[in-house]
Amino acid sequence: QLVESGGGSAQAGGSLRLSCAASGYTYSSYCMGWFRQAPGKEREGVAVIDSDGLAKYADSVKGRFTISQDNAKNTLYLQMNSLKPEDTAMYYCAAGPSTVAWKQRPNYRYWGQGTQVTVS
């Protein structure tokens, strides 16, 4: 089970930190990703991190978002800075076996229900 939290409203240029609490599986055996979906758009990969802490980012968020995790707490984070209105979306965390093809939804086995981020 994956449960996201930390979403909300922010002004452009502001910051938010998302969390994703994992349970029911061996957290360290999976790579963890963040996706987002804006109304009328496809769900897109935002960032991924593997068990060694190596991260990849979508070009649209590089330099602004940081993915991290606390393996002891089975928790994934997404620090979002310099937010833009185009970052407005539902954000989902997901767990998958590999960072290969990390932007592809079928790569992920478990999904959270999402947390809404609105930037104005």
Side-chain angles (χ1 to χ4, degrees):
Q1 181 182 11
L2 298 175
V3 180
E4 301 95 337
S5 62
S9 298
Q11 296 290 323
S15 299
L16 285 172
R17 188 193 195 202
L18 306 184
S19 299
C20 171
S23 62
Y25 69 96
T26 305
Y27 181 85
S28 59
S29 296
Y30 286 81
C31 300
M32 298 296 296
W34 285 101
F35 280 70
R36 66 186 181 187
Q37 188 168 16
K41 294 189 176 181
E42 294 289 319
R43 192 172 298 189
E44 63 174 354
V46 174
V48 69
I49 189 167
D50 68 13
S51 57
D52 293 323
L54 296 177
K56 300 179 183 181
Y57 297 91
D59 288 343
S60 59
V61 306
K62 278 181 182 177
R64 301 189 298 120
F65 291 9
T66 303
I67 190 171
S68 63
Q69 60 190 350
D70 185 334
N71 289 335
K73 296 181 177 180
N74 290 354
T75 302
L76 176 73
Y77 303 99
L78 185 69
Q79 178 66 44
M80 305 186 295
N81 298 329
S82 301
L83 284 164
K84 303 176 180 180
E86 51 263 45
D87 294 320
T88 295
M90 185 72 78
Y91 283 72
Y92 301 87
C93 64
S98 171
T99 60
V100 174
W102 71 271
K103 294 182 180 181
Q104 304 303 317
R105 292 178 62 178
N107 182 60
Y108 297 87
R109 184 168 299 174
Y110 305 113
W111 289 86
Q113 294 300 306
T115 186
Q116 178 68 38
V117 171
T118 303
V119 184
S120 58

